[in-house]
Amino acid sequence: MFVCQETDKVYVPLNNMGSAATGGAQGKTAQNHGSSSFGKLEVVNSNLCEEAAVGFEYGVSTEDPFTLAIWEAQFGDFYNNSQAIVDGYIVSGETKWSQQNGLVMLLPHGFDGGGPDHSSCRLERHLMLSNDPLDGHAHDGFLPNIYVTYPSTPAQFFHLLRRQVKRNFRKPLIVAGPKTLLRLASAASSLSEMGPGTSFQPVLDDPTVADPRIVQRVIMVSGKLYYDLAKIKEEHPLGEHIAIVRVEELSPFPRDALYNALAKYTSASDFVWVQEEPRNAGAYSFVAPRIKQLLPKHVELRYVGRPEHAATCSGVETQQAAEHAQLTSEAFDGLHGLVADLVMDNINIQHSQQAATASSSSMKKSSSTILPASVQHRWSTRPIYAAQSSEQ
C-alpha cells in the first residue's frame, strides 16, 4: 500500500492487478462493482486499543466467512490487552454458540533484543487454550478449536493463509512471525515452493542430512531459532551426525508427520527440544509429553533453553545475548561422545559378524553399512493414536 504524503491518496497494487488483466478502465469498473473475479485488500492502521481492534476483527470474521480477516500486532506482546476477547470468543465461541470464525492473528515473536515487553506473543497461553488431545486419541472428524503455528519460511506462511480461505470450515489461526525473518537472507523460498502441488507442511525435516543412518542426535525446534542452529551445524566438524527437525504447526500437534521424520534416524540416541523462550514459556510444556509418546521406549527427551523466568526474557541486552549463545552451544555439546559410541557399536558388531561368517560358509556376506542391532528394530512398534490429517 502506498500513501501520497501530500494528498493522502492511497494506492494498493494488489487491488489493481485486475484492471491490468482485463484491460484498464473496464477492469476497474468490474472491481468497483464487486466483481467476484478479484478480491480486495484493505489495510487499516488501528490505534493501540487491542481489545477493541481484535473484537472488531472477530466480528468481521464471523459475519463474513469468505473474508480473510487478519489482525497484526505491532509486537506479539501487545495482544495481551485483548486476552478477554481471545478467551471468551475466539477460541471458545464455536463450542459455546456453534459459531465458527477464521480470524488470523499475526503476532511478532522472537528474542531480538527488544526486551521483555517486545519479545513474546506468549505461545504457551495459546497452546494452553488448545483442545488438542494429549494422548492423541480423538474421535473421527475431530478438529481442534485453534491452530497455532510458528512458520520459518515465506512459502509456509503463504500456504497457511491460502489454506485458511480454501478450507470448507473456519478455525482461528495464530501465527508467530518473527520480524527478523523479514530481512534474513537465508529465510527465503522459491516460487516453485508455492506452485501447483505444494501445500503447508506441519513438519520440515532436515534437508542437509545425506545419510540418516549416521545421525546420532535429533534436534527439534520451532521458528526462527532454526537458522541459528543450522548455521552452527554447517560449521561443526561433526554436523553430519545431527538432524534439525522443524515443528511448524504446534496445534494440532502433528503426530504422524513428526513420527515419520524421527523414525528415519534409526541410530539416533539423543532427542532434544531447543527453544529460546524460558522453560515455563514457549512450546516446551505443550510438546514435551506429546513428543515423548513418539520416541522409542527408554529414550528421554532433553530440554535445551533458558531456565524458568518470571518475565519473558531479560531486560539487559548483553545478558540476553549471552543466554542465547549458551543455549545454542549447549545444543551441540557432547556430540563427540555420541559419535564415539556409534563407532564402538559398529566395531563390536563387525567382529561378531566376522566370527559368525567364518564358522558358516553358507552365511550371506554382511552389508557394508552396519547399524547397531539395538537400534535397528526399536522403531518397529508404532505408537497407537488416532491419526490426524494436517490439512484438516
Side-chain angles (χ1 to χ4, degrees):
M1 183 176 76
F2 299 97
V3 180
C4 179
Q5 297 292 318
E6 298 179 355
T7 65
D8 289 335
K9 183 178 180 181
V10 176
Y11 178 78
V12 182
L14 289 176
N15 289 343
N16 288 272
M17 293 177 65
S19 62
T22 57
Q26 182 180 358
K28 292 182 179 180
T29 302
Q31 187 183 48
N32 293 335
H33 285 79
S35 170
S36 60
S37 299
F38 305 101
K40 178 183 178 183
L41 173 66
E42 183 177 3
V43 182
V44 179
N45 187 19
S46 63
N47 57 25
L48 290 178
C49 183
E50 287 81 7
E51 184 176 16
V54 174
F56 176 83
E57 298 298 345
Y58 168 77
V60 172
S61 68
T62 56
E63 179 66 20
D64 185 1
F66 296 102
T67 292
L68 179 60
I70 302 175
W71 180 75
E72 181 178 15
Q74 184 179 12
F75 289 94
D77 314 65
F78 294 0
Y79 105 93
N80 56 14
N81 291 323
S82 62
Q83 189 70 57
I85 301 295
V86 174
D87 291 355
Y89 296 87
I90 295 175
V91 303
S92 59
E94 184 177 2
T95 300
K96 295 188 290 188
W97 311 305
S98 298
Q99 187 175 48
Q100 293 186 355
N101 80 91
L103 179 63
V104 179
M105 297 180 66
L106 302 183
L107 306 178
H109 177 87
F111 290 22
D112 303 322
D117 296 317
H118 301 83
S119 299
S120 175
C121 73
R122 292 291 190 177
L123 275 172
E124 65 278 6
R125 291 182 183 174
H126 299 292
L127 292 171
M128 186 167 55
L129 295 171
S130 169
N131 65 351
D132 180 78
L134 178 62
D135 59 4
H137 292 279
H139 59 78
D140 292 339
F142 168 80
L143 294 174
N145 64 323
I146 186 174
Y147 283 73
V148 182
T149 62
Y150 198 172
S152 59
T153 71
Q156 289 282 81
F157 180 60
F158 165 79
H159 286 302
L160 276 176
L161 297 183
R162 184 178 185 275
R163 186 182 71 173
Q164 191 73 358
V165 293
K166 293 292 288 184
R167 285 170 162 171
N168 60 0
F169 61 88
R170 294 293 177 258
K171 295 286 183 177
L173 171 64
I174 306 298
V175 181
K179 294 185 176 182
T180 53
L181 293 189
L182 296 175
R183 53 184 181 270
L184 185 64
S186 54
S189 299
S190 64
L191 289 178
S192 62
E193 296 177 77
M194 294 172 267
T198 61
S199 62
F200 175 75
Q201 301 299 317
V203 174
L204 293 179
D205 203 354
D206 194 330
T208 66
V209 173
D211 186 358
R213 296 169 297 182
I214 65 172
V215 169
Q216 282 291 90
R217 174 177 296 167
V218 178
I219 294 176
M220 286 161 278
V221 67
S222 190
K224 75 179 187 66
L225 187 59
Y226 162 78
Y227 293 99
D228 295 329
L229 298 174
K231 183 178 180 181
I232 297 176
K233 175 191 172 180
E234 182 181 5
E235 300 171 351
H236 200 286
L238 297 177
E240 63 180 351
H241 296 282
I242 282 187
I244 305 177
V245 177
R246 283 171 279 180
V247 182
E248 302 275 289
E249 187 168 64
L250 299 166
S251 170
F253 188 69
R255 292 172 174 83
D256 277 342
L258 185 57
Y259 177 87
N260 291 334
L262 298 181
K264 291 168 50 179
Y265 304 109
T266 54
S267 297
S269 58
D270 190 23
F271 296 84
V272 188
W273 176 265
V274 184
Q275 67 177 35
E276 58 181 358
E277 300 90 351
R279 186 165 186 158
N280 60 327
Y284 176 70
S285 297
F286 182 84
V287 303
R290 291 166 171 80
I291 293 176
K292 290 177 182 177
Q293 296 170 4
L294 306 181
L295 298 180
K297 292 182 179 180
H298 313 301
V299 175
E300 296 296 325
L301 175 69
R302 290 197 302 115
Y303 168 81
V304 172
R306 289 175 169 84
E308 292 80 357
H309 204 270
T312 56
C313 66
S314 171
V316 181
E317 186 174 359
T318 53
Q319 180 181 348
Q320 189 177 136
E323 292 172 348
H324 183 81
Q326 179 180 349
L327 72 90
T328 52
S329 174
E330 185 180 348
F332 292 83
D333 286 349
L335 190 57
H336 289 82
L338 291 175
V339 175
D341 291 341
L342 176 64
V343 172
M344 290 304 301
D345 284 343
N346 283 338
I347 291 176
N348 292 335
I349 291 176
Q350 286 177 346
H351 288 168
S352 300
Q353 291 181 343
Q354 289 173 357
T357 301
S359 62
S360 176
S361 59
S362 63
M363 182 176 293
K364 294 182 178 180
K365 188 178 182 181
S366 61
S367 173
S368 58
T369 301
I370 303 175
L371 296 176
S374 60
V375 301
Q376 282 182 337
H377 305 291
R378 64 181 182 180
W379 289 95
S380 58
T381 303
R382 183 180 179 83
I384 301 175
Y385 56 83
Q388 299 177 20
S389 172
S390 62
E391 287 300 307
Q392 288 181 334

